Amino acid sequence: MSTDSIKYKELQKDQKKLKFNKSRIHDWGLFAMEPILRHEFVIEYLGESIRQQVANHREREYEQSGIGSSYLFRVDDDLVVDATVKGNLARFINHCCTPNCCAKIIRVNKTKRIIIYARRDIQPGEEITYDYKFPLEKNKIPCSCGSDRCRGS
Ligand SMILES: C[S@@+](CC[C@H](N)C(=O)[O-])C[C@H]1O[C@@H](n2cnc3c(N)ncnc32)[C@H](O)[C@@H]1O
Ligand SMILES: [Zn+2]
């Protein structure tokens, strides 16, 4: 087993105690149930790995079927992780312009994985957030993160 795989297996054991609940930001959100320290691993964003073309197709399908939230996480130019059906609790993490976590892409045995880390200490009961870093698009989604430094969309 490679060193990366061993480290990854260790990370998986370290997932923090989390629960989903109603959020002030948007519908459902993910909340810490124990103290989390800065730089600690919080959770992996799991889902189905699909190509960009498939993601475009699914996005249209999901919109047509009335799914109001997007659970598509763009990893790189051609890889998207779709947590709509085969996701874990990380799919409930909302965006914030001043987030308490960040998403990092790591490579384990040639597979890219999305890891959510704490950017600062997090108290039990706090909502887990990261910056979605959406590219500038014409169809901007209004942001309701509530931060003093909210970018607005
Ligand atoms: C990955 S889901 C997050 C979980 C979602 N709140 C739910 O109830 O399933 C992403 C969706 O949540 C909504 N969302 C997340 N952060 C938001 C924010 N800061 N402002 C407005 N909507 C947000 C958007 O509809 C987005 O497509
Ligand atoms: Zn905001």
Side-chain angles (χ1 to χ4, degrees):
M1 207 186 293
S2 72
T3 326
D4 281 355
S5 320
I6 295 165
K7 279 188 201 151
Y8 173 62
K9 281 214 175 300
E10 290 302 312
L11 273 189
Q12 284 176 310
K13 279 191 249 158
D14 283 348
Q15 183 183 309
K16 295 297 169 193
K17 289 195 182 72
L18 306 161
K19 69 167 181 187
F20 70 95
N21 213 337
K22 279 289 175 184
S23 161
R24 268 183 281 187
I25 299 178
H26 175 270
D27 206 7
W28 296 98
L30 190 66
F31 294 81
M33 290 186 71
E34 62 179 332
I36 301 174
L37 297 177
R38 187 178 180 207
H39 298 318
E40 274 189 323
F41 166 72
V42 178
I43 189 172
E44 178 176 0
Y45 189 103
L46 291 174
E48 206 183 335
S49 293
I50 52 173
R51 310 287 298 267
Q52 182 61 56
Q53 254 187 321
V54 179
N56 292 341
H57 178 75
R58 284 195 186 178
E59 194 172 27
R60 281 193 294 274
E61 260 183 11
Y62 293 149
E63 275 169 17
Q64 280 162 13
S65 65
I67 298 178
S69 295
S70 173
Y71 303 98
L72 299 169
F73 189 114
R74 177 194 281 275
V75 175
D76 61 28
D77 284 349
D78 196 37
L79 180 67
V80 173
V81 171
D82 181 3
T84 312
V85 180
K86 296 180 182 168
N88 64 344
L89 279 178
R91 73 201 281 280
F92 293 110
I93 303 177
N94 283 317
H95 160 91
C96 180
C97 298
T98 51
N100 51 22
C101 290
C102 65
K104 278 188 192 170
I105 310 297
I106 64 162
R107 211 183 259 272
V108 184
N109 286 339
K110 294 186 185 159
T111 303
K112 288 182 177 176
R113 295 189 172 273
I114 308 159
I115 304 293
I116 312 294
Y117 281 100
R119 294 181 73 213
R120 59 162 172 80
D121 293 354
I122 300 170
Q123 303 306 316
E126 266 192 75
E127 180 165 356
I128 303 294
T129 56
Y130 62 84
D131 186 339
Y132 287 5
K133 296 197 172 123
F134 279 155
L136 291 172
E137 285 170 347
K138 275 191 213 141
N139 300 328
K140 289 183 181 174
I141 303 164
C143 181
S144 50
C145 75
S147 158
D148 293 348
R149 282 178 280 146
C150 178
R151 298 193 294 272
S153 59

